[in-house]
Amino acid sequence: MIAIACDHAAVELKKEVEELLTSLGLAYKDFGTYDTASCDYAVFAARAARAVASGACERGILICGTGIGMSIAANKIKGIRCSLCGDPLSAKLTRAHNNSNMLAMGARIIGPELAKEIVRVWLDTPFDGGRHQHRIDLIAALERGEEIE
Ligand code: RB5
């Protein structure tokens, strides 16, 4: 199950991404927002991020105007590694190296075709593990308030 959420700036792009997920045979849970009335992106980012952090959803996709606000908010939730991507190579490398469990994109920054290509690559790319696992473990230590050197 893929968690998906957006703010008022990204309702249309979210619909297109949902259509892509459906065409790929992937189930999703839409955490809103559902219309273009002005809203607060952190609320919707947190709903989707909590679903990913709890394991209710395997991964999540967040879309706001720039992708920045939602990515910042999602990364406040313990266990979330949300990657703001505007190109497919970043999407590939953040899966391979960071085991990214949430993808953020900016509807005012990239067009729908590029966004859908980013989603496809991000969904398809496995985590490389190995030395990258240790680095993710260090991020988890930071979340616990530990010093790392
Ligand atoms: C909303 O106007 C805008 O601030 C939001 O979509 C996002 O870009 C925030 O980072």
Side-chain angles (χ1 to χ4, degrees):
M1 180 71 70
I2 307 289
I4 189 163
C6 69
D7 75 354
H8 54 278
V11 173
E12 278 309 309
L13 181 54
K14 184 179 70 175
K15 272 185 207 153
E16 293 211 37
V17 170
E18 288 175 346
E19 285 167 14
L20 170 66
L21 295 175
T22 299
S23 76
L24 294 173
L26 297 171
Y28 62 83
K29 183 165 167 53
D30 187 340
F31 289 86
T33 190
Y34 306 109
D35 58 44
T36 55
S38 184
C39 66
D40 299 323
Y41 56 79
V43 171
F44 300 94
R47 286 177 188 166
R50 288 203 171 100
V52 174
S54 73
C57 292
E58 290 136 44
R59 289 204 239 160
I61 298 171
L62 302 173
I63 319 173
C64 62
T66 59
I68 297 171
M70 286 191 116
S71 62
I72 292 171
N75 280 318
K76 300 294 181 192
I77 306 294
K78 196 171 178 181
I80 295 301
R81 292 178 301 279
C82 182
S83 312
L84 172 59
C85 293
D87 66 274
L89 179 59
S90 295
K92 178 179 175 169
L93 291 175
T94 196
R95 284 288 310 133
H97 291 191
N98 314 124
N99 199 12
S100 165
N101 54 12
M102 296 197 84
L103 169 68
M105 298 183 293
R108 292 174 177 158
I109 307 299
I110 59 174
E113 294 313 313
L114 177 55
K116 287 187 278 187
E117 180 58 17
I118 288 168
V119 169
R120 276 190 215 98
V121 168
W122 185 79
L123 288 171
D124 279 354
T125 307
F127 177 46
D128 279 354
R131 68 188 186 282
H132 300 296
Q133 182 60 54
H134 171 63
R135 293 165 184 167
I136 289 172
D137 292 342
L138 291 175
I139 294 172
L142 286 174
E143 277 183 334
R144 294 192 299 270
E146 297 170 13
E147 292 294 333
I148 59 169
E149 285 302 332

